């Protein structure tokens, strides 16, 4: 199976090729330059692998949650490439990609959502893959909690962004915390391969980001009131 995966959900821009289990990847800190960096990354990966788009079996993208603009870029580029090459697509959770990198079977993932909030979810690795124990949510850091059970670890830059709130509450419930892990196309590759192997690829027209935040203009006080109501 040959897959292309794109992620622009954070300040990093990444692309990766899955070639029957071998991963080739590019990743750079893009800040606001994702749209100008992503396609050259894809072209470089395909050229060094002597592949054309039509030789791929599908394209996956970081569906979110994450930056509004970033999510739209990866989704739109995926759709454009897939339409042109008649390929199916899948969206991969950015939070699940954090869990994939954490090196543990139980992972509490927390991603900085700005505006004094975080995106978070909890995953447990099972024989069939990751099972979502706590569904992805946008929340104030005070709302993040560790699921029942032992050997949970924390992962994601949310532990750095709002660590002053998260660490005092959660450190004694977590085996360790890695606040450097970010969503990444290479980490999404095995997740995407599993979806395609199950025959769950979809038409590119159905691709859509997962935003979670439905209103950006709320004040901090309004968000607190909404989440504690």
């Amino acid at each position: 199976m040959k897959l292309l995966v794109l992620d622009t959900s954070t300040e990093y821009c990444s692309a990766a090729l899955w070639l029957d289990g071998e991963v080739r990847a590019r990743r750079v800190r893009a800040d606001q330059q994702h749209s100008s960096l992503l396609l050259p990354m894809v072209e470089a990966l395909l050229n060094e692998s002597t592949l054309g788009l039509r030789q791929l079996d599908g394209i996956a993208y970081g569906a979110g949650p994450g930056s509004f603009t970033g999510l739209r870029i990866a989704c739109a580029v995926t759709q454009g490439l897939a339409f042109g090459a008649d390929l199916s697509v899948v969206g991969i959770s950015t939070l699940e990609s954090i869990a994939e990198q954490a090196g543990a079977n139980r992972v509490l993932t927390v991603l900085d959502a700005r505006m004094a909030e975080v995106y978070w979810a909890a995953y447990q690795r099972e024989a069939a893959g990751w099972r979502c124990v706590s569904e992805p949510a946008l929340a104030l850091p005070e709302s993040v909690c560790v699921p029942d059970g032992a050997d949970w670890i924390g992962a994601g830059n949310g532990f750095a962004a709002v660590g002053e709130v998260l660490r005092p509450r959660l450190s004694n419930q977590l085996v360790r915390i890695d606040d450097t892990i970010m969503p990444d196309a290479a980490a999404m590759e095995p997740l995407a391969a599993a979806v395609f192997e199950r025959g769950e690829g979809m038409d590119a027209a159905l691709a859509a980001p997962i935003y979670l935040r439905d209103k950006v203009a709320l004040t901090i006080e309004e968000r607190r009131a909404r989440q504690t109501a």
Side-chain angles (χ1 to χ4, degrees):
M1 183 176 290
K2 297 176 178 61
L3 304 173
L4 173 67
V5 181
L6 313 175
D7 182 64
T8 55
S9 60
T10 68
E11 61 266 35
Y12 289 93
C13 179
S14 58
L17 277 177
W18 173 273
L19 305 173
D20 300 318
E22 177 191 350
V23 175
R24 299 181 182 180
R26 295 281 193 282
R27 184 184 190 222
V28 297
R29 187 180 179 101
D31 296 317
Q32 305 300 316
Q33 301 180 64
H34 300 79
S35 58
S36 61
L37 292 171
L38 187 57
L39 284 174
M41 278 183 159
V42 171
E43 184 177 12
L45 284 169
L46 291 173
N47 286 343
E48 74 177 32
S49 303
T50 62
L51 287 174
L53 276 175
R54 291 185 178 276
Q55 293 175 271
L56 300 177
D57 297 294
I59 306 177
Y61 63 100
S67 156
F68 275 39
T69 301
L71 297 181
R72 289 195 294 268
I73 290 170
C75 184
V77 171
T78 294
Q79 287 181 308
L81 295 175
F83 279 134
D86 193 25
L87 298 172
S88 58
V89 306
V90 297
I92 301 297
S93 166
T94 53
L95 295 174
E96 190 172 342
S97 83
I98 291 175
E100 181 71 15
Q101 301 172 71
N105 292 325
R106 289 180 167 180
V107 188
L108 177 71
T109 62
V110 186
L111 183 65
D112 181 20
R114 310 294 174 86
M115 300 172 67
E117 293 177 312
V118 295
Y119 300 116
W120 76 283
Y123 298 91
Q124 179 170 311
R125 190 188 294 274
E126 299 183 347
W130 290 104
R131 177 171 68 87
C132 193
V133 178
S134 295
E135 292 293 327
L138 171 70
L140 295 167
E142 296 91 335
S143 302
V144 178
C145 60
V146 180
D148 293 337
D151 300 326
W152 286 94
I153 75 149
N157 74 334
F159 285 99
V162 291
E164 72 281 0
V165 178
L166 291 176
R167 290 176 184 269
R169 293 182 51 249
L170 304 180
S171 291
N172 62 349
Q173 302 173 59
L174 299 169
V175 175
R176 59 183 171 85
I177 294 172
D178 187 337
D179 61 15
T180 67
I181 300 177
M182 299 287 282
D184 182 69
M188 294 176 185
E189 289 278 20
L191 305 176
V195 176
F196 278 111
E197 285 170 357
R198 294 195 299 267
E200 297 175 6
M202 61 184 175
D203 188 279
L206 301 176
I210 301 171
Y211 290 123
L212 293 187
R213 177 179 280 134
D214 57 0
K215 182 179 179 184
V216 179
L218 290 175
T219 65
I220 292 176
E221 290 73 19
E222 287 173 328
R223 295 196 300 278
R224 288 184 184 278
R226 181 179 63 179
Q227 293 189 31
T228 57

